[in-house]
Amino acid sequence: MLSERRVLVTGGAQGIGAAIALGLAKAGADIVIADLAAQSGTAEALMTKITELGQRAEFVEIDVTDKASVEAAVEAAGQIDVLVNNAGILVPSRLEDLDEASWQKHFDINAKGVLLCTNAFLPQMRERKFGRVINIASLAARQGIPTEGHYAATKATVVTLTRVYAQEVGEDGITVNAICPGIILTEMAQNKLVGADREYWTNATSLKRLGDPGDVAGAAVYFASDLADYVTGQALNVCGGLYFH
Ligand SMILES: NC(=O)c1ccc[n+]([C@@H]2O[C@H](COP(=O)([O-])OP(=O)(O)OC[C@H]3O[C@@H](n4cnc5c(N)ncnc54)[C@H](O)[C@@H]3O)[C@@H](O)[C@H]2O)c1
């Protein structure tokens, strides 16, 4: 389905990014895992799995908040047909207790990172008149919950960037879409989901289960494929029926 497509996944060494990388590789894509240098060891096992599927796998160092690092990653990665902007952080805090440094860090990684990476890969996509950009936003973009207000604001920004980019680059055959995962059991979510909280959120989903990272991969495969040729500027909830808007 994705043969001859080369995909770069930011924050792809673990969690949702790793599951998306694997899902796209199963659909026939070659994968560049782009993550912080410290994650190169973590990415090893994933790269072995991808090569066992018969696809190419490479690791490229990137800090999505740093323009020079992003430009070096573009240089190292070469031609990229599908960019998955997945790198992100969540350090919970009530808004009243939030310090400025944390606000800034969340916006730098979760929102500015999408801007820097997208802008860096667009010129080659425009030249080839083809490209797919898939932004990993969050259900938090739809409705913030206590202790995640700053994070929700970054993800609402990602959805807005998705809609505007779609209009600005569509003329060159490039689509830009977002995925809004619900609660997906990665390191990020495990840390906050303990005891009664976990039971509450499990019961709040229509499917009565929290998500696995692999649950997000199908939506990414769809947006990366020809099946989504006429779909752009959209944000798709992948949340087990936790939220409906
Ligand atoms: N887990 C969830 O429930 C959930 C729900 C909705 C959205 N999301 C979003 O999905 C994405 C992945 O989340 P996850 O749960 O897999 O998190 P995770 O913490 O397991 O993985 C995040 C990855 O991003 C990388 N990263 C962090 N800062 C970076 C930087 N400056 N440059 C490059 N890479 C960087 C990390 O090294 C890590 O590999 C995030 O954008 C997150 O906001 C997660």
Side-chain angles (χ1 to χ4, degrees):
M1 196 179 207
L2 299 180
S3 62
E4 292 178 26
R5 269 181 204 173
R6 220 170 120 76
V7 180
L8 182 138
V9 185
T10 70
Q14 67 178 50
I16 291 175
I20 287 175
L22 196 60
L24 292 168
K26 281 183 186 157
D30 291 330
I31 308 292
V32 179
I33 297 158
D35 211 312
L36 297 170
Q39 290 283 70
S40 65
T42 312
E44 289 289 328
L46 172 63
M47 297 207 295
T48 305
K49 276 192 204 160
I50 292 170
T51 46
E52 281 170 4
L53 290 167
Q55 302 307 130
R56 287 169 190 267
E58 288 165 48
F59 181 85
V60 163
E61 179 185 332
I62 197 171
D63 177 348
V64 298
T65 68
D66 176 2
K67 197 170 178 195
S69 167
V70 171
E71 281 167 0
V74 173
E75 190 70 26
Q79 179 178 320
I80 291 297
D81 307 296
V82 181
L83 167 66
V84 183
N85 284 311
N86 164 81
I89 59 159
L90 165 58
V91 183
S93 168
R94 291 178 61 81
L95 289 171
E96 288 163 285
D97 302 327
L98 185 70
D99 59 66
E100 274 187 57
S102 181
W103 169 272
Q104 193 59 51
K105 191 169 179 191
H106 281 79
F107 268 89
D108 280 351
I109 298 175
N110 297 3
K112 189 179 87 173
V114 172
L115 182 81
L116 291 183
C117 292
T118 307
N119 285 349
F121 281 101
L122 279 176
Q124 52 157 289
M125 290 178 175
R126 280 195 186 274
E127 204 172 304
R128 292 198 310 279
K129 303 274 183 235
F130 179 84
R132 296 274 180 270
V133 180
I134 303 168
N135 296 326
I136 307 306
S138 171
L139 214 61
R142 313 291 198 190
Q143 178 169 324
I145 58 170
T147 78
E148 294 186 11
H150 54 315
Y151 172 80
T154 67
K155 294 300 188 178
T157 301
V158 172
V159 170
T160 300
L161 291 177
T162 301
R163 291 174 177 151
V164 177
Y165 267 127
Q167 296 168 73
E168 291 183 348
V169 303
E171 65 202 5
D172 277 330
I174 302 164
T175 67
V176 186
N177 291 289
I179 299 172
C180 295
I183 301 175
I184 308 296
L185 292 170
T186 65
E187 205 173 291
M188 182 183 278
Q190 301 278 16
N191 291 340
K192 58 173 183 169
L193 274 180
V194 282
D197 242 17
R198 189 167 177 139
E199 206 180 313
Y200 170 82
W201 286 113
T202 303
N203 284 326
T205 65
S206 300
L207 295 176
K208 304 299 171 203
R209 71 172 178 88
L210 300 176
D212 289 318
D215 287 322
V216 184
V221 171
Y222 167 67
F223 282 133
S225 77
D226 293 345
L227 293 174
D229 270 353
Y230 200 56
V231 179
T232 195
Q234 305 304 308
L236 175 65
N237 295 344
V238 177
C239 64
L242 178 57
Y243 197 69
F244 304 95
H245 299 283

